[in-house]
Amino acid sequence: MTIFYDPSCLEYSSPGHPERPERIAQSAPLLQDRHPDWQWRRPTAATNTHLLRAHSHGHIERVANASENFDLDTPLYPNIEAHARRSAGAVIEATGSALRGEAAFSLMRPPGHHATRDRAMGFCYFSNVAVAALDALENKAERIAIWDFDGHHGNGTEAIVANNERIRFASIHQFPAYPGTGAKSFGNIDNYPVAPYTPRETILEIAQRSFEKLIGFEPDLLLVSAGFDAYARDPLLQLTLEREDFAMFGEWLSQIDIPIAVALEGGYSNDLPELIDAFLTGWQS
């Protein structure tokens, strides 16, 4: 396992905002202590060439030159462009590692799956997984599956990869909930909306069905948007998964012979470090 991580991603925060850097600050030492054989690498920033595969020139310029908050959820922080470029770069590099046969995980902020081609939203500035997927298609990959088990719909990823026949995208998420999308499937997009307080056994059945359908696409690369806000004690949603369920998601990854790269998305409980560890340990079991 290779973990892509740069402590500088902890340098932005806003009082009272759920996107708190201390959750990641606690995750890194926990993983280093429990898994001393895992490799840690600092990512390099995504370039304009990378970003322009998923975003418009105008969007990249707005992130670089913003003078006000993007919306109520997505503040303008000092150096946010640099942070967002490193986060996207981490997923690109994790994907490259996966294609070389190494399991790889991006433990970076900010997340990405809400950012669309032209808009920063939902704590996200660049669409990290979509950027990495489109970069991989320009290199070694022919068919890519994206599995998004974040409790919020990955609307940005969906919008960027929709109708690309070389990509299959699946999102399991609470509905209704932010951002209010993801109620229906179409084309290469499989959405699995889940009502608040759905029993965890039902969510697991839906997640397994979504995963198996993606693998049936016969991809030569699997990218995972790993959000942990479907956890029963997450403050932003009303889903019901437990720590061992995320471990099971990791075990599913361990049972397939496909290059896999994983990017951290949401997860706002104080238990996030334990949830990440359960998932990664299941994957590497």
Side-chain angles (χ1 to χ4, degrees):
M1 172 70 71
T2 301
I3 309 290
F4 287 88
Y5 174 68
D6 186 333
S8 69
C9 77
L10 309 176
E11 293 173 359
Y12 74 92
S13 64
S14 179
H17 198 287
E19 176 62 12
R20 304 187 320 277
E22 61 264 26
R23 297 169 303 114
I24 309 304
Q26 294 163 3
S27 299
L30 182 146
L31 294 173
Q32 289 167 335
D33 179 63
R34 294 184 182 176
H35 308 280
D37 56 328
W38 289 0
Q39 301 298 309
W40 290 72
R41 297 183 194 167
R42 290 200 179 198
T44 56
T47 66
N48 278 358
T49 299
H50 294 128
L51 297 177
L52 284 168
R53 295 193 178 110
H55 296 288
S56 66
H57 280 282
H59 175 70
I60 296 169
E61 291 175 0
R62 280 191 294 275
V63 174
N65 301 311
S67 58
E68 60 185 10
N69 292 340
F70 297 91
D71 60 28
L72 292 176
D73 293 315
T74 316
L76 170 60
Y77 295 109
N79 301 315
I80 193 58
E81 180 203 14
H83 294 308
R85 282 181 180 268
R86 278 192 295 270
S87 191
V91 186
I92 293 169
E93 292 190 34
T95 299
S97 292
L99 291 170
R100 292 189 297 272
E102 307 169 16
F105 178 68
S106 171
L107 181 68
M108 290 287 289
R109 312 314 290 160
H113 75 154
H114 293 308
T116 68
R117 175 176 170 79
D118 293 300
R119 182 181 175 192
M121 60 181 289
F123 317 162
C124 304
Y125 302 85
F126 297 132
S127 191
N128 303 331
V129 166
V131 169
L134 296 176
D135 179 70
L137 289 182
E138 292 291 323
N139 293 287
K140 295 182 179 179
E142 293 295 328
R143 294 162 64 85
I144 298 176
I146 301 175
W147 190 45
D148 188 333
F149 64 76
D150 186 285
H152 297 91
H153 179 234
N155 63 298
T157 309
E158 174 185 289
I160 291 168
V161 307
N163 302 312
N164 187 324
E165 295 181 355
R166 297 170 65 190
I167 298 177
R168 191 91 194 183
F169 172 77
S171 176
I172 311 103
H173 50 270
Q174 180 174 311
F175 186 87
Y178 182 89
T181 53
K184 296 181 179 180
S185 301
F186 60 93
N188 63 325
I189 305 298
D190 293 315
N191 282 314
Y192 299 85
V194 177
Y197 306 107
T198 295
R200 58 189 284 222
E201 295 80 6
T202 303
I203 299 176
L204 289 174
E205 290 170 2
I206 294 169
Q208 185 170 23
R209 187 164 73 246
S210 73
F211 183 75
E212 291 175 351
K213 184 173 181 180
L214 276 183
I215 301 310
F217 180 62
E218 299 183 350
D220 48 22
L221 171 67
L222 174 64
L223 299 180
V224 181
S225 283
F228 297 87
D229 39 13
Y231 180 53
R233 283 162 288 288
D234 192 275
L236 298 191
L237 289 174
Q238 296 81 44
L239 294 176
T240 52
L241 295 186
E242 296 291 348
R243 181 179 183 274
E244 54 266 34
D245 301 325
F246 294 108
M248 184 180 298
F249 289 173
E251 290 167 9
W252 294 349
L253 299 187
S254 73
Q255 295 166 6
I256 61 173
D257 187 21
I258 299 171
I260 301 169
V262 180
L264 179 64
E265 297 284 0
Y268 306 96
S269 161
N270 291 333
D271 296 334
L272 181 65
E274 292 290 345
L275 302 179
I276 293 173
D277 180 58
F279 169 72
L280 293 180
T281 301
W283 180 11
Q284 293 299 287
S285 60

